[in-house]
Amino acid sequence: MKLLKEICRGSLLGVANIMPGVSGGTLAISMGIYDKIIYAVTHLRKDPKNSIRILAPIGVGVLLGFIGLSYIIRWLFMFYPLQTNLLFIGLVLGGLPEIVKPIRREKITAVRILVCLLFFSLVSVLPLLNISGKEAVMDFSFLTGAKMFGIGIISAATMVVPGVSGSMILLILGYYQPLLDEITGCINGLLLMDGNRILRGIILLGPAVIGVGVGIIVIAKLVEYLLGHHKITSYWAILGLILASPIGIFLEMETPSWDILPVLTGILALGLGLFVTNRLGEKDTEE
């Protein structure tokens, strides 16, 4: 049962990392597994057995969510945008009690409030940036490989840093749709046993995968340092990121239908998101 719970958590993280406006790191915090994942990544060499025990089921879930559930979620975003966005807002906000718990025990200072407001503003402003630029061209060149490695590191940063949507950053850079096309093309190639599609996917996506691996390790160590030496201030920053996430999600959404049925079902979806986070969350993260 615990293994299934970890896979379900990973599936939500996998879906979150490909949806514009949604942050996988924020969902990890909302479910109370962020610190655990950071520890597992940064102690992979020192404590491999425990790290693999933590990361393996979550990793399986991420792949399932990324490959399988992403098709369903994309369909839901297309036909039921308000309900689906409210579902993810519920998933994010459901973890607020666990974030507030350590903060309320410590003194509130001007610096901590400013940090919270700064990170709140960061996530609120990102969706307002121009994302209508030209999409990147994916070709077989050294320059494209170098760019893909850099994109992998950027993607890793957005996976590890809560509140920042990796998909939103890729949209701004012009790589979101081209990458999504290459990923789905590679998956379809595997399903159809099409060697040319598979080879293209490996060549183009390989450097990005390596960049993600390098980025996650380096940035996770930085996050571990901040949580170890400036934990409460870091949690104030995370609080700002989480509070701003609904704004980022709504700004990424096309004009929704405010008819009574979508609104009512959207409220139900919001409640479902809160319930799911509550059920999947770790309740012993900060005792």
Side-chain angles (χ1 to χ4, degrees), residues 129-190:
L129 298 177
N130 177 30
I131 59 173
S132 59
K134 291 175 61 177
E135 290 185 351
V137 177
M138 308 286 281
D139 57 16
F140 298 106
S141 67
F142 176 79
L143 181 60
T144 295
K147 287 180 179 178
M148 293 301 292
F149 180 77
I151 288 295
I153 293 178
I154 293 171
S155 298
T158 60
M159 290 178 193
V160 176
V161 178
V164 183
S165 168
S167 300
M168 189 191 304
I169 299 297
L170 292 177
L171 272 170
I172 293 169
L173 296 175
Y175 276 89
Y176 179 74
Q177 194 58 50
L179 271 175
L180 204 57
D181 291 341
E182 293 299 334
I183 291 168
T184 53
C186 187
I187 293 170
N188 291 333
L190 287 169

Side-chain angles (χ1 to χ4, degrees), residues 90-113:
L91 290 170
V92 169
L93 296 183
L96 273 178
E98 292 300 304
I99 298 299
V100 172
K101 190 186 295 183
I103 289 176
R104 69 186 182 192
R105 297 173 182 170
E106 301 290 335
K107 184 179 178 181
I108 298 175
T109 65
V111 171
R112 289 170 178 172
I113 293 175

Side-chain angles (χ1 to χ4, degrees), residues 8-71:
C8 288
R9 288 169 174 161
S11 296
L12 287 176
L13 298 183
V15 172
N17 278 312
I18 59 172
M19 295 302 156
V22 183
S23 165
T26 302
L27 271 186
I29 286 177
S30 295
M31 292 185 290
I33 58 173
Y34 185 74
D35 289 5
K36 188 164 70 171
I37 292 174
I38 293 295
Y39 173 88
V41 171
T42 55
H43 289 76
L44 195 56
R45 292 181 63 184
K46 295 180 181 178
D47 189 7
K49 185 177 179 181
N50 191 40
S51 294
I52 292 172
R53 181 183 62 80
I54 293 169
L55 294 175
I58 293 174
V60 169
V62 167
L63 286 175
L64 289 175
F66 194 82
I67 296 171
L69 291 179
S70 62
Y71 287 95

